[in-house]
Amino acid sequence: MRIISASARAWRVQLDGIFAIVFIIVLTSATAVASGAVRSVCPNEGSPGFRSYLLDCRAYEMVTPPYKGGFAAVVEGISGDGSQLELRSLGIFSHPQDTSSIVGVYQTTRTDRGWKSLPFDAPFTLFSNFNVETVSRDFTNSLWSARYSARSSVPGLYLGAPPVGPFEYIGPTSPPNAVTAVLRRLAGTSRDLTHSVYRVDAPIPGERNSLWPGDKTADAGQPSLYEYSGLNNAEPRLVGVSNVGPTESIAKSDLISECGTYFGGPAPFGSGLPPSVYNAVSESGTAVFFTALGRDYPGCAELGSGVVMPAVNELYARLDASRSDAHTVAISEPSEADCKKCELSERADAIFEGASFDGSRAFFATTQHLLPGSGSGMELYMYDFNGPAGGRVTLVSGGDPVGARVQHVVRVSDDGSHVYFLAQGKLTTVPNAFGKHAESGAENLYVYEHDGAFPQGHIAFIGQGAVSVAQTTSDGRFLIFTSAADLTPDEEERVEAGQVFEYDTQSGVLIRVSRGQNGYNEDGNSEVYPAMIPDRTSRLDLPIEKSTRLAMSADGAYVFFTSEDALTPQALSGVMNVYEYHAGRLGLVSDGHDLVSVFGHPAVELLGTDESGRDVFFETADQLVPQDTDTQLDVYDARIEGGFPAAATTPGCSGDSCQGPLASGLPLTASPTSSSGGESAVPPVSGRALKGKRTSKRLTKHVKKHQKAHTHRAKKAAGGWR
C-alpha cells in the first residue's frame, strides 16, 4: 500500500463522514494484527533520508556535495524534470582538487547512488578563460563567453554541450581591435539558446564608447539591443530597427528610436515596479518584443528634433531577423490591416506586460483610448498574431464605461490564454465563489480567459485586495499568490500578515493553502508571520527561469511555500520552514527545527519544485542525512519515494587490532568526492573561469546573506532569537 493511494482514499472518506474514517482505521489495524506484522506504507522507509512527517513518501536527498571549500552554493537553474541543477560557488567546490575556477559553475545530476556535481570546464588549450552565461531548460545546451586567442584578444560567444563542450562559435562580443567586450549583458535567449539578445548602454560623457560602430543610439545611459541568430556571425544585428529584410550591417540599420531601445519595456516611470521582460524573446527566438523610447521619456526631448524617435514609448516586435522576410510589427500603434477600429490620434506610452512563450500574443497597457469600450485611465490590451485581419488587437479590461483603471498585471500564462490583473473598475457583475462582487474604486483581482472555452474572451472576478507575489501554471488554469487581504471565509476576518492562496479558473474556487495541519495553531491565521512563495520576477528572459523557483507543480496539485508560523506540531514557531500543500493536506518539507540565522536571514529557503511536484528543493543548515558532515548551508531535495540507501559500514574491531600500525608520518588526507552519495570524484580538466558581472553580483549577495562564518547555532528552542 502506497501513501499516495492512501491520501486519495483519505480525501474520499472526508466526504463520506466520520463513520467511514473510523471504519478504515479499524480495518487497517485488524489487517495488521491478522498478518502478524505491519506492512511498510512507503517503499523507501529504509533510506536514512526518510521521515514519517513528510507527505507523499518523501525522503531527503543531499544535493550539494559534502566538500564545499567553506562556501555555499547558489542554485541558478533547475531542469524541468528536477533531475539536474546549475550551481555556482565562489569556493573550491565539489572536492579539494577542484582548482579550475575563480567562479565555479557546476552541473549537478541525480544518479542512482546520489547527486553528483561536475564543473563546467574547457581545455586550457581551447579557452584561456570563460564564463558560463546560462544553460538551456533541459540542460542539453549552454551559452559561453570565452576568450580564444586564435580568434581575438577579447571573448567570443559559443554554444556548448554542458558541462565540457564540444563548442560552436556564435560570434564576437566586440568589433575588431576593441580593447574590451561590448556584449556583456545577456538579456534573453530562445529555448535552445541559438538566438540571444544583449543590452548595451550608450556611454555617458567621459566614458569610452561602448556601442558597436554604426549604432546611432545617442542618449547617454539609455540601452541599445543587439541580437545573434545561428552560428559564425561576423557581427550582431540591432533589434530596434524598421528595416524590411535582414540588415546588412549595424551601420545600415534604421533605428526606430535613437534615444534608446528597451528589451520588453522599461518600468513605468516613477511606479517603483520592475521592468517587464516576460517572454520578450519567443520560444523559437524568431520574435523579440522591444520598446522604442519616445520624446516624452526623460532625457529624450533634450536630444533635439534631428534625432529619430516616436512621440511616445511604443511597443514593437522584430520578427525573423535572420530571414529574408524579416520585418518589424507595430504592436501598440497597429496598422489598419491589424486593427481597423483602433484610434491612433491621441497617443500615450505603451507598457509591455508580457507575451506568450511562442510569441503569438503580447499584452500591453496604455492610457490611450485605443478601442471602443475603453474608458479613462489605464487599460489592458492583447495583440494576437493569429487573430483575424483587422481585428488582432483586443481590449482585455473592458466592461466598465468609466474605465478599467488597471493598477497592475499580476501574471500572464505561458500559453497566453490567461492574464491576471488588478483594476479599480467594475468589469463584471458576476460574483465570485463566495458571493462577493467587484466594487468600483477597489483593488479587484480579475482573470481574463481567451481559450477554447472562451473564444471571445471572458472576465471573472476572483477577490478583492492587493497581491504581492504570484505564479501561474503554463496553461493559466491555476494561480497562486500571496496577499494580506481577507479573501476566504476561513480567515475569520482577522488581520493577516500574509497568506498563500490558490485559484482554479475551471471551478472558480479560491482556497487558502497556508493553513494549519488539521487546524493546528489557529489554522495558520497569524498577524505576525507571513506565508511566502518565491518571487520569479527577473530582469532576464532565460528558458531556465521557466522551471526555476517554481512554487507549484504544472497541474496545480502541489503547492510549496515558506512561513515562520508553526503550521504542524513538528515545527517551531518563529523559525522559517518550508511547507507542502497537496490534496487538502499540509505537511512539512524542511525539518522544522533549523534555528540558524545568517546575517539576519533564515538559513531555510525554498528554491523551487520541478514541474511534476515530485522534487522540491530547499536550503538548510541542518544535517538531514549522514553524508552531511558539516554545519554549512546545503541544498536538499525532498523527493517523493526518494532517498538513497544507507552507506556501507566498516566492520568493527576489538582489542589490540583497534590500535593500528605505528607510523612516523601523518599522511592523513581525505578521499576526494564530488557526490553526495559517496562516489569518488573525477578530477576536472583545466581551464580558468571568468568572473562575469552578473555572476559576481549574485554570488556576492548570496555570500553576504548565507556564508556561515559568524553563525551562532546555540539558540533557545522555544522563541529562539534570529
Side-chain angles (χ1 to χ4, degrees):
M1 180 175 63
R2 296 173 58 186
I3 199 168
I4 294 177
S5 61
S7 67
R9 184 171 59 178
W11 177 79
R12 288 197 298 270
V13 299
Q14 287 175 6
L15 301 179
D16 296 335
I18 190 171
F19 296 107
I21 296 174
V22 174
F23 172 76
I24 286 178
I25 293 174
V26 173
L27 179 62
T28 303
S29 301
T31 303
V33 172
S35 63
V38 178
R39 291 190 301 168
S40 176
V41 174
C42 294
N44 56 338
E45 284 187 356
S47 169
F50 178 82
R51 300 290 189 278
S52 60
Y53 58 78
L54 296 176
L55 299 181
D56 308 314
C57 289
R58 293 187 186 272
Y60 294 129
E61 298 177 358
M62 185 178 174
V63 176
T64 44
Y67 188 87
K68 292 171 286 294
F71 286 84
V74 177
V75 175
E76 293 279 358
I78 300 172
S79 65
D81 63 1
S83 64
Q84 299 182 90
L85 282 75
E86 178 195 359
L87 302 179
R88 298 192 181 222
S89 175
L90 286 172
I92 299 172
F93 185 80
S94 184
H95 49 78
Q97 284 72 33
D98 178 17
T99 59
S100 63
S101 301
I102 299 172
V103 177
V105 184
Y106 299 85
Q107 179 174 329
T108 301
T109 305
R110 189 180 190 275
T111 71
D112 292 339
R113 298 180 61 185
W115 288 84
K116 178 179 290 186
S117 294
L118 293 175
F120 280 72
D121 215 339
F124 187 78
T125 54
L126 180 62
F127 297 142
S128 58
N129 47 38
F130 60 83
N131 183 58
V132 181
E133 299 290 342
T134 187
V135 298
S136 60
R137 191 175 179 179
D138 58 3
F139 281 67
T140 59
N141 218 347
S142 52
L143 183 63
W144 302 53
S145 173
R147 180 173 284 112
Y148 181 32
S149 58
R151 288 188 182 272
S152 174
S153 60
V154 295
L157 294 167
Y158 295 83
L159 283 176
V164 293
F167 301 93
E168 297 178 286
Y169 183 64
I170 296 173
T173 61
S174 63
N177 304 319
V179 178
T180 59
V182 172
L183 306 184
R184 292 179 295 175
R185 296 178 63 181
L186 178 67
T189 72
S190 62
R191 177 191 283 269
D192 61 4
L193 312 185
T194 58
H195 294 69
S196 52
V197 178
Y198 302 84
R199 170 177 166 167
V200 179
D201 292 344
I204 60 175
E207 281 190 348
R208 179 184 299 160
N209 182 34
S210 56
L211 301 177
W212 212 282
D215 186 349
K216 299 176 184 178
T217 301
D219 193 19
Q222 294 299 350
S224 185
L225 298 180
Y226 298 85
E227 176 183 18
Y228 268 127
S229 300
L231 304 173
N232 298 312
N233 296 276
E235 67 174 21
R237 293 183 174 88
L238 282 172
V239 173
V241 299
S242 58
N243 299 68
V244 176
T247 55
E248 294 182 35
S249 65
I250 287 178
K252 295 183 179 181
S253 300
D254 298 322
L255 278 172
I256 296 174
S257 175
E258 295 177 4
C259 180
T261 305
Y262 268 90
F263 181 62
F269 191 71
S271 68
L273 297 173
S276 177
V277 297
Y278 188 71
N279 290 333
V281 180
S282 66
E283 177 181 19
S284 63
T286 56
V288 180
F289 296 95
F290 66 92
T291 299
L293 297 183
R295 292 195 179 277
D296 289 342
Y297 197 78
C300 290
E302 287 78 3
L303 295 177
S305 58
V307 178
V308 175
M309 68 184 77
V312 296
N313 294 355
E314 300 286 11
L315 178 63
Y316 296 87
R318 182 64 177 171
L319 305 179
D320 305 315
S322 61
R323 293 170 42 175
S324 60
D325 56 349
H327 60 289
T328 301
V329 175
I331 302 296
S332 59
E333 295 292 336
S335 65
E336 185 176 352
D338 288 340
C339 185
K340 291 182 179 179
K341 296 181 179 180
C342 283
E343 173 59 54
L344 306 179
S345 58
E346 296 183 7
R347 299 187 177 185
D349 288 342
I351 302 170
F352 176 70
E353 298 289 3
S356 59
F357 194 34
D358 64 1
S360 64
R361 291 178 175 178
F363 297 87
F364 64 96
T366 182
T367 58
Q368 183 172 332
H369 189 78
L370 197 57
L371 280 172
S374 60
S376 61
M378 193 72 72
E379 298 278 9
L380 184 61
Y381 296 89
M382 177 180 70
Y383 183 101
D384 189 351
F385 283 94
N386 296 325
R392 295 193 175 99
V393 179
T394 300
L395 176 62
V396 169
S397 55
D400 190 331
V402 178
R405 290 156 285 166
V406 173
Q407 300 164 286
H408 176 52
V409 172
V410 173
R411 205 66 182 170
V412 175
S413 64
D414 268 341
D415 65 357
S417 64
H418 295 67
V419 56
Y420 296 87
F421 62 98
L422 288 166
Q424 292 182 324
K426 186 173 182 178
L427 308 184
T428 177
T429 58
V430 179
N432 65 9
F434 303 117
K436 303 288 185 179
H437 290 82
E439 299 177 4
S440 180
E443 289 182 297
N444 302 300
L445 178 60
Y446 296 102
V447 58
Y448 174 81
E449 302 175 67
H450 193 283
D451 52 16
F454 299 101
Q456 303 303 317
H458 171 73
I459 286 182
F461 171 62
I462 299 174
Q464 207 169 87
V467 173
S468 299
V469 180
Q471 297 185 21
T472 183
T473 52
S474 293
D475 62 0
R477 174 181 171 179
F478 292 95
L479 174 79
I480 56 170
F481 63 96
T482 59
S483 178
D486 185 17
L487 295 174
T488 55
D490 57 8
E491 293 181 277
E492 302 173 352
E493 299 183 352
R494 299 187 182 196
V495 176
E496 294 288 348
Q499 300 281 0
V500 176
F501 300 89
E502 182 178 34
Y503 177 74
D504 181 357
T505 58
Q506 288 191 10
S507 65
V509 172
L510 178 69
I511 61 172
R512 177 169 64 96
V513 302
S514 53
R515 53 196 310 170
Q517 186 182 73
N518 299 320
Y520 181 76
N521 193 14
E522 299 188 12
D523 202 23
N525 288 286
S526 175
E527 300 179 16
V528 180
Y529 302 120
M532 297 170 288
I533 60 175
D535 186 355
R536 303 186 69 225
T537 303
S538 175
R539 295 178 181 270
L540 305 175
D541 181 27
L542 304 177
I544 192 66
E545 300 282 350
K546 305 296 180 189
S547 53
T548 303
R549 296 186 298 279
L550 293 175
M552 174 173 51
S553 59
D555 60 1
Y558 297 87
V559 178
F560 304 94
F561 63 93
T562 57
S563 177
E564 293 181 81
D565 198 18
L567 301 181
T568 72
Q570 297 88 0
L572 296 177
S573 180
V575 174
M576 187 65 74
N577 283 300
V578 181
Y579 294 96
E580 170 188 358
Y581 181 88
H582 177 224
R585 301 174 302 154
L586 183 130
L588 268 171
V589 172
S590 57
D591 67 345
H593 293 80
D594 191 335
L595 300 170
V596 173
S597 176
V598 184
F599 295 112
H601 296 274
V604 172
E605 181 180 355
L606 172 61
L607 302 173
T609 180
D610 72 327
E611 294 171 341
S612 70
R614 176 192 58 191
D615 300 89
V616 54
F617 300 94
F618 65 100
E619 198 169 41
T620 181
D622 281 359
Q623 298 162 303
L624 303 181
V625 295
Q627 292 92 343
D628 192 350
T629 56
D630 58 30
T631 59
Q632 296 181 23
L633 293 175
D634 279 294
V635 176
Y636 277 88
D637 179 8
R639 180 183 172 95
I640 293 178
E641 296 189 3
F644 300 108
T649 58
T650 304
C653 61
S654 60
D656 292 340
S657 64
C658 296
Q659 303 301 316
L662 296 175
S664 57
L666 294 174
L668 302 177
T669 57
S671 300
T673 177
S674 65
S675 170
S676 58
E679 290 190 44
S680 297
V682 178
V685 292
S686 62
R688 296 294 181 266
L690 295 171
K691 187 183 293 186
K693 286 188 176 181
R694 179 174 69 88
T695 303
S696 62
K697 286 181 180 179
R698 295 185 69 172
L699 285 171
T700 300
K701 180 180 178 181
H702 189 81
V703 169
K704 286 182 179 179
K705 177 182 176 182
H706 290 297
Q707 191 58 27
K708 295 180 57 208
H710 303 90
T711 298
H712 297 280
R713 296 184 61 90
K715 301 177 182 179
K716 295 180 181 179
W721 53 270
R722 296 185 307 110

